[in-house]
Amino acid sequence: MVTWMRGEELHRRAREWAREHVKRLEEVGVTPKLAVLLLHDDPVELATQRRFVSLKARDVREVGGEVEVYELHEVPPEHRTKEALRLLDSLNKRDDVTGILIQKPLPPYVDEEALFQKLAPEKDVDALTPESKKKLLTRFDLDRDVLPCTPAGILELFRIYGVEVRGMDVVVVGKGELVGKPLAVMLMQLDATVTVLHALSKEREPYVRRADIVISAVGRPPELYRDNPWRLTGDMVKEGAVVVGVGGKVDPATGRWYFDVDEKSVTEKASLLTPNIGGVGLATRARVLKNLIRTTYQVARAAVSSRIVGGP
């Protein structure tokens, strides 16, 4: 029988921890404030990103923080990078903004490298600036560092459910900068044997079938994409595998979610599985809260350094 790796407890603990730190920060006149940039204009991506951001914003406000959301999809494509850089420059300089999140993926005509070079590292909630990425190439602390939200959330789920990655054969499907690539690096740092598959991989299913752990981070459900669609089904994984579903998209016409993993068939083979709703999404939201609190301490270090403590 499959064991569901749910994120509710992780999310609950993160909210409690964040509330306590918001109170401590308020004592020295600091309120965590998250600024979010939405740059995509593709209907599916925009609908999905709005849904994700609304949930993250709700979490931050529930623990006593503040959120500002900037949608730039109406800015002409040829001017969008310039406008985003101008906005980032302003947000970097504002003392009241203690965390910045550039919602990914970005449209292809936006200069992603320029944006993350501009983003102040101390406010980088998703840990995607060059300075933030350096931690992944050396040694990282899951409990204290600001790390990429979804990869860190997945590792926290593994810890809670006793999933040992050391020496395991792990397949990561998807090589995106937000999940696939940083997660693969983090898993290698933890001594897993990692294979990363993507749209140009000659074969994917043979690698997936041999894996002890399969992490699907594609986000191209067949219902919404004709070009390079992807769904992980039970016949693709071996008996007893650990399966993590990350990718999901919203149909802008219906508001319905579609996911990477076919839960019904995969439950018949997997030993542990994240539910499409209530799994990685909640773990990611938990990490956003933790990272925002940590970036807030970094931004206000001079005032609150004596109060800094570790995470939950």
Side-chain angles (χ1 to χ4, degrees):
M1 180 180 293
V2 70
T3 296
W4 294 96
M5 293 188 289
R6 303 187 185 278
E8 286 93 341
E9 179 63 15
L10 191 59
H11 187 234
R12 182 191 65 78
R13 287 165 49 195
R15 293 199 314 273
E16 290 180 353
W17 179 83
R19 284 193 191 98
E20 179 60 32
H21 282 277
V22 169
K23 292 177 182 177
R24 296 185 187 186
L25 287 160
E26 286 177 345
E27 292 175 2
V28 293
V30 177
T31 299
K33 179 178 286 188
L34 176 67
V36 184
L37 278 63
L38 291 175
L39 282 76
H40 228 301
D41 51 16
D42 174 80
V44 173
E45 291 292 355
L46 182 57
T48 303
Q49 292 184 3
R50 280 174 168 165
R51 192 76 64 87
F52 283 141
V53 169
S54 69
L55 294 170
K56 295 171 185 176
R58 185 175 70 186
D59 290 341
V60 172
R61 291 176 178 131
E62 283 182 352
V63 301
E66 300 175 356
V67 181
E68 295 179 357
V69 179
Y70 298 88
E71 295 196 4
L72 303 184
H73 55 86
E74 293 185 356
V75 176
E78 63 271 23
H79 299 306
R80 204 164 303 171
T81 297
K82 182 178 180 180
E83 180 62 21
L85 288 171
R86 185 201 64 77
L87 177 58
L88 278 174
D89 187 56
S90 173
L91 295 172
N92 284 343
K93 294 174 181 176
R94 283 176 51 185
D95 292 336
D96 64 319
V97 173
T98 64
I100 301 172
L101 193 154
I102 303 172
Q103 190 67 39
K104 293 191 59 158
L106 301 176
Y109 46 79
V110 168
D111 188 340
E112 182 170 323
E113 182 178 357
L115 295 188
F116 286 104
Q117 287 281 0
K118 171 67 72 173
L119 176 58
E122 68 273 13
K123 296 187 179 185
D124 179 18
V125 170
D126 238 344
L128 292 174
T129 61
E131 184 171 320
S132 299
K133 289 179 179 179
K134 290 178 183 177
K135 294 177 184 176
L136 305 186
L137 299 175
T138 53
R139 179 179 295 180
F140 63 86
D141 188 326
L142 189 60
D143 291 318
R144 292 182 179 272
D145 290 337
V146 177
L147 299 169
C149 294
T150 298
I154 290 169
L155 294 183
E156 289 194 77
L157 283 176
F158 283 173
R159 183 167 61 185
I160 288 173
Y161 285 91
V163 177
E164 176 59 66
V165 302
R166 186 179 186 187
M168 295 292 103
D169 290 325
V170 182
V171 162
V172 178
V173 189
K175 63 179 182 70
E177 296 286 339
L178 186 65
V179 181
K181 192 175 291 184
L183 179 57
V185 172
M186 294 167 80
L187 288 166
M188 285 189 285
Q189 293 291 344
L190 297 173
D191 296 322
T193 301
V194 183
T195 301
V196 179
L197 305 174
H198 49 84
L200 297 182
S201 298
K202 292 181 180 179
E203 291 183 297
R204 289 189 282 193
E205 292 190 22
Y207 292 98
V208 173
R209 287 195 179 96
R210 291 196 296 269
D212 302 307
I213 302 171
V214 181
I215 302 164
S216 185
V218 179
R220 297 189 68 83
E223 294 85 355
L224 300 177
Y225 294 93
R226 293 184 179 180
D227 180 33
N228 293 320
W230 169 259
R231 174 150 297 130
L232 185 71
T233 56
D235 62 319
M236 300 162 106
V237 301
K238 74 177 184 180
E239 192 75 36
V242 175
V243 178
V244 177
V246 181
K249 291 290 172 63
V250 174
D251 183 343
T254 65
R256 180 177 176 181
W257 279 99
Y258 293 99
F259 299 97
D260 272 16
V261 175
D262 176 36
E263 281 187 350
K264 184 176 180 181
S265 64
V266 173
T267 56
E268 298 176 2
K269 299 287 283 296
S271 59
L272 294 103
L273 171 64
T274 57
N276 285 331
I277 298 176
V280 172
L282 284 176
T284 299
R285 288 163 58 188
R287 195 72 193 194
V288 170
L289 284 175
K290 294 176 183 179
N291 282 358
L292 176 61
I293 295 299
R294 292 183 179 116
T295 61
T296 300
Y297 277 119
Q298 289 173 175
V299 170
R301 181 176 288 116
V304 299
S305 60
S306 63
R307 298 176 181 271
I308 293 179
V309 297

